[in-house]
Amino acid sequence: MLFKENCSQCHGDDGWGTTDGRFPQIAGQHNSVIIKQLADIRAGNRDNPEMYPFARESVLGGPQSISDVAAYISTLPMEPYPEYGESDDIENAERLYKEKCAACHGANGEGNALKFYPLIQGQHYEYLLRQLIWIRDGKRRNAYPEMMESVKTLSDTQFQALADYVSQLLPPDDKLAN
């Protein structure tokens, strides 16, 4: 019920977000990551004015409610056709991903629930691109310092290629909607 009343208004009934990247796909995300992001938004550690009204305790409820909605979201099947970019440098992007991202986000973008590293595979290109730029520029304040350090020297062109590559990393079939 919490998901339908709050989250689905922006992320959709299926949790797939929007292809323009305004709202990320949250379906299939690790519940630990969802809990962390909601807590960071609620505490003011992640700037997200659109999300803050929905994350407030008076709307979403206390810790148990956050845990419940995160558990539900993590079971939703993921969008099988996320929005890709138009990079013509996927080979370089794959090298960049392996060099800069794979240690934390995994070889296929599967993330690490125990360390709160998000699953990024199959995320919409525009959302990935915006987050990379915000992390580099310090706008996304809850990013891990290691990630901020890792991406600080990358150009917008490299970000475009990287976001395109990651958007094409597909989750395993059992996580995808039919």
Side-chain angles (χ1 to χ4, degrees), residues 3-78:
F3 179 83
K4 295 278 186 214
E5 291 174 357
N6 297 291
C7 313
S8 67
Q9 293 179 43
C10 299
H11 296 280
D13 289 340
D14 48 22
W16 292 357
T18 57
T19 57
D20 66 2
R22 184 169 177 206
F23 302 106
Q25 171 168 217
I26 57 175
Q29 184 59 262
H30 303 301
N31 62 349
S32 61
V33 170
I34 296 165
I35 291 169
K36 180 189 183 308
Q37 295 305 314
L38 287 170
D40 282 354
I41 291 165
R42 190 178 273 187
N45 296 329
R46 178 174 177 188
D47 294 326
N48 194 325
E50 290 182 276
M51 183 72 187
Y52 181 75
F54 297 99
R56 291 179 310 164
E57 188 168 357
S58 62
V59 174
L60 192 56
Q64 185 61 56
S65 295
I66 288 177
S67 180
D68 292 346
V69 77
Y72 175 75
I73 292 168
S74 70
T75 66
L76 291 173
M78 297 176 70

Side-chain angles (χ1 to χ4, degrees), residues 131-140 148 151 156 159:
Q131 295 309 304
L132 284 166
I133 292 169
W134 283 2
I135 289 167
R136 180 195 63 199
D137 296 348
K139 185 173 180 179
R140 173 126 179 219
M148 294 171 77
V151 302
D156 286 352
F159 279 156

Side-chain angles (χ1 to χ4, degrees), residues 80-165:
Y81 305 106
E83 188 68 25
Y84 301 154
E86 297 178 7
S87 176
D88 57 1
D89 198 13
I90 293 296
E91 188 173 302
N92 247 348
E94 181 178 11
R95 180 191 53 75
L96 264 177
Y97 180 82
K98 289 177 180 176
E99 179 184 307
K100 302 275 188 183
C101 312
C104 296
H105 289 287
N108 194 44
E110 65 275 11
N112 184 326
L114 296 176
K115 293 184 177 182
F116 306 97
Y117 298 148
L119 174 152
I120 56 175
Q121 57 193 190
Q123 185 58 264
H124 301 295
Y125 165 80
E126 289 291 341
Y127 179 79
L128 290 165
L129 180 60
R130 186 174 68 247
Q131 295 309 304
L132 284 166
I133 292 169
W134 283 2
I135 289 167
R136 180 195 63 199
D137 296 348
K139 185 173 180 179
R140 173 126 179 219
R141 295 180 298 120
N142 76 331
Y144 289 99
E146 299 86 2
M147 184 165 179
M148 294 171 77
E149 184 67 27
S150 181
V151 302
K152 75 179 183 181
T153 60
L154 297 180
S155 69
D156 286 352
T157 302
Q158 287 173 307
F159 279 156
Q160 291 165 354
L162 194 54
D164 191 15
Y165 175 76

